[in-house]
Amino acid sequence: MNESPDPLLDLLHLLDLEQIERDIFRGESRSALVPRVFGGQVAAQALVAAGRTVPADRGAHSLHSYFLRAGDPGAPIVYTVDRIRDGRSFTTRRVVAVQHGQPIFHLSASFQTYEEGMEHQAPMPSAPDPETLPTAAEMLPRYADRFSDPGVVDRLIEARQAVDLRYVDEPPFATVGEAREPRSQVWFRTNGKLADDPLLHVCLATYVSDMTLLDSVLLAHGRGGWAVGDVVGASLDHAMWFHRPFRADEWLLYDQESPSASGGRGLGQARIYTADGRLAITVIQEGVVRIPRG
């Protein structure tokens, strides 16, 4: 396994875009677990590009995005930002990610100055203490026999070096053939402390949010996922609402469920809570989820 001396620093470098014009940025790509750019990477980089054109006192409160084409991990990605609106309270940006002359991803993001207002939230569901749950390096080798490719476990562990992601219940590939309630919980935080920049924490949560959201779709049908080989798929669209401040280097509970699957697509929706019970983020994603043809 190719272990980086500082995986979190590598991830932060990946999100630190190069500015090549006033509203044009370039990001690196890297190989993912599948032969395309990881969707969470593109979404996080696009949000970085948008955020760098917005005053620092306006925090991201929502994003809506579409994955248009598979990204090439061997080529850089160019992000072009359109300054759609700069209002007294809200700022709107549109970002198009381009590779090889074609758009691969489109994002609209909205930013807002802080203001007081009405307060209520859905209560945090029960979940065990994350410190009592196994890490990826402890959990994944137990299921090595589930994968046809013996290198999958090492690649999964490597992909989680920068982020400590712990399943509350067994992941889909652990219970292949057993249909379960379409719900999944994971705890996550970065493997190391981060600077206090709120945009950085939002972008890292965006990166992680694409890792497990469609797990609940698989659970409902007893499917193990791409690594097992009993489904093929990709993210189609992704939306997030950022409700309250949080830190991505402190434990966050990702409570996920799937209300529907049809037409070769599966829908995942989730809430992300801080460890002290504050609702920080709402996430909704639809993806292609197909059974391979024999």
Side-chain angles (χ1 to χ4, degrees):
M1 182 169 56
N2 179 26
E3 294 191 5
S4 165
D6 193 336
L8 180 57
L9 189 61
D10 287 349
L11 177 55
L12 295 178
H13 177 72
L14 189 71
L15 300 183
D16 188 17
L17 305 182
E18 174 192 3
Q19 185 166 3
I20 57 179
E21 271 292 351
R22 178 173 181 261
D23 293 330
I24 302 176
F25 302 84
R26 179 164 51 212
E28 297 181 3
S29 296
R30 67 180 183 188
S31 297
L33 295 168
V34 290
R36 58 178 179 265
V37 176
F38 170 52
Q41 174 202 310
V42 183
Q45 287 180 330
L47 189 57
V48 169
R52 289 191 177 173
T53 69
V54 174
D57 65 344
R58 299 194 174 198
H61 78 83
S62 68
L63 67 84
H64 302 264
S65 61
Y66 284 91
F67 297 90
L68 306 176
R69 293 179 175 86
D72 175 4
I77 305 173
V78 174
Y79 296 90
T80 302
V81 182
D82 289 334
R83 300 181 182 231
I84 301 299
R85 181 175 184 269
D86 290 292
R88 287 185 297 178
S89 300
F90 291 88
T91 294
T92 306
R93 295 292 184 260
R94 180 174 59 206
V95 184
V96 178
V98 176
Q99 271 189 326
H100 306 303
Q102 292 186 312
I104 65 167
F105 178 80
H106 172 275
L107 173 139
S108 293
S110 184
F111 301 77
Q112 180 190 16
T113 55
Y114 175 78
E115 60 183 80
E116 296 288 344
M118 295 180 288
E119 280 277 344
H120 79 273
Q121 69 162 72
M124 182 179 183
S126 61
D129 184 333
E131 300 289 352
T132 66
L133 302 172
T135 65
E138 294 167 340
M139 181 267 290
L140 286 164
R142 303 175 190 170
Y143 305 110
D145 62 341
R146 311 295 168 91
F147 310 117
S148 57
D149 178 355
V152 163
V153 169
D154 283 349
R155 295 202 301 275
L156 283 167
I157 293 173
E158 183 178 352
R160 285 159 171 72
Q161 288 178 339
V163 178
D164 189 350
L165 189 149
R166 306 189 186 193
Y167 280 89
V168 170
D169 297 307
E170 291 184 303
F173 51 78
T175 56
V176 176
E178 175 189 339
R180 293 158 51 188
E181 183 182 3
R183 297 186 61 88
S184 175
Q185 288 183 329
V186 298
W187 286 97
F188 72 88
R189 67 179 178 186
T190 58
N191 267 319
K193 298 301 289 183
L194 300 171
D196 292 334
D197 177 7
L199 178 64
L200 177 63
H201 292 262
V202 165
C203 291
L204 280 162
T206 300
Y207 178 89
V208 178
S209 69
D210 191 39
M211 286 184 171
T212 61
L213 186 49
L214 297 182
D215 278 3
S216 51
V217 177
L218 305 179
L219 292 174
H221 301 273
R223 297 282 166 170
W226 68 267
V228 173
D230 59 359
V231 296
V232 293
S235 301
L236 289 171
D237 57 5
H238 197 85
M240 302 179 73
W241 292 264
F242 304 100
H243 308 299
R244 294 171 180 82
F246 64 91
R247 294 188 64 92
D249 55 6
E250 297 178 353
W251 285 117
L252 296 167
L253 177 66
Y254 199 6
D255 186 63
Q256 305 153 96
E257 65 176 340
S258 175
S260 176
S262 64
R265 307 182 315 277
L267 184 70
Q269 60 186 26
R271 293 168 176 164
I272 298 179
Y273 293 85
T274 62
D276 61 359
R278 289 177 295 115
L279 176 58
I281 310 169
T282 297
V283 192
I284 297 180
Q285 181 183 79
E286 189 172 48
V288 172
V289 183
R290 295 181 177 132
I291 300 172
R293 296 176 180 175

